[in-house]
Amino acid sequence: MKTILHLISSPRQESSFSIKLGRAIVTQLQEKHPDSVVNEVNLIHENFPHLDAPHLQSFFTPKEDLTAADREAIRYSDQAIDQLFKADFIVIGAPLYNFSIHSALKAWIDHVARAGLTFRYSEHGPEGLVKNKKVYIAMSAGGVYSKGPYQPYDFVVPYLQAVLGFMGMTDVTVYRAEGVNMPQLKEGALERAIASIAVEG
Ligand SMILES: Cc1cc2nc3c(=O)[nH]c(=O)nc-3n(C[C@H](O)[C@H](O)[C@H](O)COP(=O)(O)O)c2cc1C
């Protein structure tokens, strides 16, 4: 039995292209793995807090020394890391906001990137600890960033690949609904992205 973690980071609910694209990826995964369990996490609703002093203090306190207040501070982080380790497939909905990811997704990343849990430093340098995962990114953008003059302004895919890879998730496939706000491209942009999905694993 496979577990699919689907992260949503668009506030646009039923109008969102990244949510529709992500769900299409999930559907294809379910077709391949009919007994799979889907855990859809809406990061907009979850509203992970920005990292503050109590979070940081708790992150770097040994488990046996954590107070009740410390444990409360890392509740979001512990739960998100648990969901991540339990998943075989991770589908990340990533709308492009001001050339980067939505802050709700950034907050999730800040809570899951934890030294000693999802990565560690060894004598050989940094080592990702979240291994054997297949990640799909469902990106949506008003413009076109996969090629052309705006390609260098795509801080979504290179960033996600870097930070996920740092935590050990190196097998990342990207699907894009792009040009969704461009008159000549918006018609059929989502359908073209969905038609390009070919899940593996
Ligand atoms: C606050 C905001 C910032 C945006 N910034 C960009 C941008 O920098 N470049 C771009 O091409 N589109 C930008 N867009 C358009 C979104 O990428 C586009 O609407 C996309 O479909 C959003 O994903 P969603 O449909 O999953 O909500 C922005 C949209 C919003 C609401």
Side-chain angles (χ1 to χ4, degrees), residues 10-12 15-19 95-99 140-143 145 180-181:
S10 167
R12 296 196 323 119
S15 311
S16 162
F17 294 108
S18 62
I19 295 177
L96 188 142
Y97 266 38
N98 301 315
F99 304 120
S140 54
Y145 294 83
V180 301
N181 292 344

Side-chain angles (χ1 to χ4, degrees), residues 123-145:
E123 60 276 19
H124 308 297
E127 182 194 353
L129 301 176
V130 190
K131 293 177 181 162
N132 304 316
K133 309 292 181 194
K134 174 72 201 165
V135 180
Y136 294 95
I137 295 173
M139 182 204 184
S140 54
V144 172
Y145 294 83

Side-chain angles (χ1 to χ4, degrees), residues 13-201:
Q13 304 192 39
E14 297 314 310
S15 311
S16 162
F17 294 108
S18 62
I19 295 177
K20 288 181 182 150
L21 186 56
R23 286 193 179 140
I25 297 167
V26 169
T27 299
Q28 227 185 75
L29 286 168
Q30 284 177 299
E31 283 164 6
K32 274 205 152 182
H33 305 280
D35 61 343
S36 56
V37 171
V38 181
N39 183 13
E40 186 176 282
V41 177
N42 189 319
L43 298 175
I44 304 293
H45 298 162
E46 292 287 321
N47 208 8
F48 281 48
H50 288 184
L51 292 186
D52 204 346
H55 303 117
L56 300 181
Q57 184 195 299
S58 307
F59 284 179
F60 297 103
T61 300
K63 207 172 174 183
E64 56 278 12
D65 297 334
L66 290 170
T67 64
D70 293 336
R71 265 192 271 275
E72 176 58 21
I74 50 172
R75 183 169 55 85
Y76 282 92
S77 173
D78 284 347
Q79 192 191 25
I81 290 172
D82 185 51
Q83 289 170 340
L84 191 57
F85 275 109
K86 282 188 176 142
D88 300 288
F89 300 103
I90 300 144
V91 179
I92 302 179
L96 188 142
Y97 266 38
N98 301 315
F99 304 120
S100 186
I101 56 173
H102 189 285
S103 54
L105 180 56
K106 178 60 166 59
W108 177 85
I109 290 168
D110 288 341
H111 282 268
V112 298
R114 256 173 81 185
L117 293 181
T118 54
F119 69 92
R120 70 174 167 215
Y121 287 102
S122 70
E123 60 276 19
H124 308 297
E127 182 194 353
L129 301 176
V130 190
K131 293 177 181 162
N132 304 316
K133 309 292 181 194
K134 174 72 201 165
V135 180
Y136 294 95
I137 295 173
M139 182 204 184
S140 54
V144 172
Y145 294 83
S146 60
K147 58 184 181 210
Y150 277 89
Q151 195 174 22
Y153 297 92
D154 173 11
F155 298 101
V156 172
V157 171
Y159 170 65
L160 288 175
Q161 283 172 329
V163 73
L164 296 169
F166 184 78
M167 290 187 274
M169 292 167 274
T170 51
D171 188 353
V172 179
T173 300
V174 180
Y175 295 111
R176 300 170 188 251
E178 58 181 357
V180 301
N181 292 344
M182 295 173 73
Q184 71 278 29
L185 289 177
K186 65 180 181 188
E187 199 64 44
L190 175 66
E191 290 72 16
R192 285 192 293 278
I194 290 175
S196 74
I197 298 170
V199 302
E200 308 146 23

